[in-house]
Amino acid sequence: KAGVTQTPRYLIKTRGQQVTLSCSPISGHRSVSWYQQTPGQGLQFLFEYFSETQRNKGNFPGRFSGRQFSNSRSEMNVSTLELGDSALYLCASSGTTTNEKLFFGSGTQLSVL
Amino acid sequence: AQKVTQAQTEISVVEKEDVTLDCVYETRDTTYYLFWYKQPPSGELVFLIRRNSFDEQNEISGRYSWNFQKSTSSFNFTITASQVVDSAVYFCALRGYTGANSKLTFGKGITLSVRP
């Protein structure tokens, strides 16, 4: 069974640009969540989608948005990039219930110059 | 709000030593789930264990063991006879049952270095 796939693996952007990251969950998984990891703030929850609906949202500005498609694949978008958005963005998938363990992808390393 | 505290930031041990990673959590939910994840240098978070709030039984899996104590809101992780391959960052995480608490809240992580 293929794991969680995130693309691209690395990304370099400049301030003011926008970026879209992609996540393909494990087959059969309907929940996808996104996390931002930085040395200073650690791992922070961005949002979670279940069956194309946002189920939960973290404390991030509106520049961070996401969506989930009918095949459970998800994308997150960051508009008007800032230097502080440089981070490892991790995607995780799980089945249906809250208590299920999350399976994580290898992440997208975003560098904003 | 939920909170997970991993007071230790970095631990360095010599191979074959035992090491305990501490985790203290805060939540108002009566139903919640606790997790430990390992993050090797490759970056991918690897699931180690899940515990629900109603199951205080300690668990042992090979060289790994976990001690869950609701009375002290702690969920500590012990590696027995550590090996170099155990070097990684270890995260404790908490997930509530409903609403905003159902998101996964991570501690800051503990960097474990096992020297040969």
Side-chain angles (χ1 to χ4, degrees):
Chain A
K1 208 174 191 181
V4 178
T5 304
Q6 290 188 248
T7 56
R9 185 71 177 92
Y10 300 95
L11 206 49
I12 300 175
K13 292 285 187 179
T14 56
R15 276 186 305 171
Q17 287 187 308
Q18 75 163 20
V19 66
T20 298
L21 311 182
S22 179
C23 173
S24 293
I26 290 173
S27 178
H29 282 187
R30 294 166 62 187
S31 172
V32 172
S33 50
W34 290 88
Y35 299 82
Q36 181 197 65
Q37 185 175 22
T38 59
Q41 298 299 317
L43 275 158
Q44 293 187 286
F45 171 79
L46 281 156
F47 25 66
E48 179 187 8
Y49 288 88
F50 180 80
S51 294
E52 302 179 67
T53 301
Q54 189 178 84
R55 187 154 71 173
N56 220 330
K57 189 177 188 306
N59 297 322
F60 278 81
R63 299 185 298 106
F64 291 81
S65 63
R67 59 178 176 169
Q68 186 180 32
F69 302 96
S70 58
N71 62 357
S72 293
R73 191 178 72 85
S74 177
E75 288 181 348
M76 70 162 278
N77 183 277
V78 188
S79 62
T80 319
L81 283 166
E82 300 178 0
L83 296 178
D85 296 333
S86 295
L88 178 67
Y89 290 88
L90 291 162
C91 166
S93 77
S94 64
T96 55
T97 57
T98 306
N99 65 343
E100 292 187 41
K101 64 185 181 184
L102 272 63
F103 294 85
F104 284 83
S106 297
T108 294
Q109 184 67 56
L110 172 65
S111 297
V112 182
L113 306 178
Chain B
Q2 300 181 143
K3 187 178 178 182
V4 176
T5 302
Q6 295 182 264
Q8 305 149 309
T9 53
E10 293 185 23
I11 299 175
S12 182
V13 299
V14 176
E15 209 170 17
K16 296 184 183 176
E17 279 187 36
D18 297 348
V19 58
T20 295
L21 311 181
D22 298 332
C23 173
V24 174
Y25 62 92
E26 295 175 30
T27 181
R28 292 187 176 185
D29 284 8
T30 54
T31 301
Y32 53 88
Y33 306 92
L34 295 163
F35 303 81
W36 274 95
Y37 281 89
K38 172 182 179 180
Q39 187 176 41
S42 62
E44 183 175 333
L45 283 160
V46 177
F47 169 83
L48 295 176
I49 190 171
R50 174 190 59 210
R51 215 8 134 230
N52 75 54
S53 52
F54 299 108
D55 183 1
E56 285 192 74
Q57 214 171 16
N58 291 332
E59 179 154 342
I60 298 174
S61 176
R63 296 184 297 106
Y64 296 170
S65 63
W66 291 269
N67 182 269
F68 175 30
Q69 291 194 346
K70 284 180 75 171
S71 60
T72 56
S73 297
S74 65
F75 187 42
N76 297 336
F77 173 30
T78 297
I79 301 175
T80 303
S82 60
Q83 299 176 2
V84 173
V85 293
D86 295 327
S87 296
V89 182
Y90 290 86
F91 291 94
C92 179
L94 165 69
R95 188 168 192 178
Y97 191 65
T98 57
N101 287 344
S102 66
K103 66 182 183 184
L104 195 61
T105 300
F106 286 90
K108 293 289 190 184
I110 301 170
T111 301
L112 174 64
S113 298
V114 182
R115 309 186 305 276

